[in-house]
Amino acid sequence: MVKSKPYIILSAAITLDGKIATKCGDAKISSHKDKIRLHNLRTTVDGILIGINTVKQDDPLLTIRYAKCGHKHPVRIILDSNGIIDHNTKILKTSTKFKTIIVVSEKIPQRNLNRLKNYLNVDIIMSGKKTVDIKQLLRHLLTKYSMQRILVEGGSKVNWSFINQNLFDELIITVSPYLVGGTRSIPFLSGTGFPNIADSPTLKLKSITRLEDEVVLNYVRPCHF
Ligand SMILES: NC(=O)c1ccc[n+]([C@@H]2O[C@H](COP(=O)([O-])OP(=O)(O)OC[C@H]3O[C@@H](n4cnc5c(N)ncnc54)[C@H](OP(=O)(O)O)[C@@H]3O)[C@@H](O)[C@H]2O)c1
């Protein structure tokens, strides 16, 4: 069968009550041991993909600095329909060192597009009319960039898009021993949600790893089991 997308792994650290950040945007959920595990996982993929809200809220580097040395650095991929990513973000500040792709939509204002074009090591991919068409994007990343494996690291809206469109193969969730509650905290998945449990994708538990008080759950789609 001809592949139409790279292998997609969704990854998140959640609290015991299923949140990925508090209502104030605090997302420091996982332990240092789990960060090392995550960075080692990052060394196994070609790209790490996140949404623009996560860039705004967390200002991540998306590097493999806690992993063992000698690995090829994955490409950082940001979904940013309007091309609003700030010049002072760590992603853009380190873009000469680590390859970065900003994925915009057709509605991006021309001045934002011109600004992004000034970054030498940043590729711009246009996909979708108002928001990024992730199915089209994944095909492009497979065929034009030869990406075989991509790690999706959130946030909530991006996770939902991949699950709602059935574009993922594996789920790796760290459950950390926190309870934050609140209707305004950020859940693992946002979006409209499925009306019935039967609408949920089918998943098979592949492994459980204990890291002191955290557990790392690894689920895969049955076709990969
Ligand atoms: N604990 C964890 O593991 C973890 C990991 C990551 C993030 N987080 C937390 O998650 C929060 C951010 O999550 P969020 O849900 O607000 O935002 P998000 O998923 O990070 O970003 C969503 C934004 O991405 C853009 N986008 C473009 N195309 C999209 C598409 N097809 N599907 C979905 N999004 C698309 C949209 O903005 P435009 O329309 O402007 O393009 C959208 O509003 C932060 O508080 C962060 O700390 C936690």
Side-chain angles (χ1 to χ4, degrees), residues 11-14 19-22 25-27 29 50-55 57-58 79-82 84 107 130-134 153-159 161 165 186 190:
S11 161
I14 67 171
K19 313 294 185 188
I20 58 168
T22 67
D26 185 357
I29 292 174
I50 61 169
I52 186 63
N53 291 355
T54 296
V55 176
Q57 186 61 45
D58 299 351
L79 305 190
D80 179 12
S81 314
N82 298 294
I84 58 161
K107 74 166 183 186
K130 290 186 177 164
T131 187
V132 173
D133 179 337
I134 51 174
E153 290 196 31
S156 192
K157 288 184 183 147
V158 167
N159 292 342
S161 285
Q165 294 179 58
I186 315 276
S190 60

Side-chain angles (χ1 to χ4, degrees), residues 53-115:
N53 291 355
T54 296
V55 176
K56 284 199 264 186
Q57 186 61 45
D58 299 351
D59 192 18
L61 261 173
L62 300 184
T63 61
I64 52 174
R65 59 196 181 281
Y66 298 131
K68 294 176 197 101
C69 306
H71 293 281
K72 190 168 160 257
H73 206 286
V75 176
R76 296 148 344 149
I77 306 162
I78 314 296
L79 305 190
D80 179 12
S81 314
N82 298 294
I84 58 161
I85 184 167
D86 195 279
H87 176 69
N88 289 316
T89 54
K90 288 178 186 157
I91 294 277
L92 284 186
K93 277 184 165 171
T94 57
S95 63
T96 50
K97 210 165 155 198
F98 309 116
K99 178 94 193 154
T100 305
I101 297 175
I102 309 288
V103 191
V104 301
S105 73
E106 289 170 21
K107 74 166 183 186
I108 183 174
Q110 190 60 45
R111 67 176 185 286
N112 291 2
L113 190 58
N114 293 343
R115 180 183 67 98

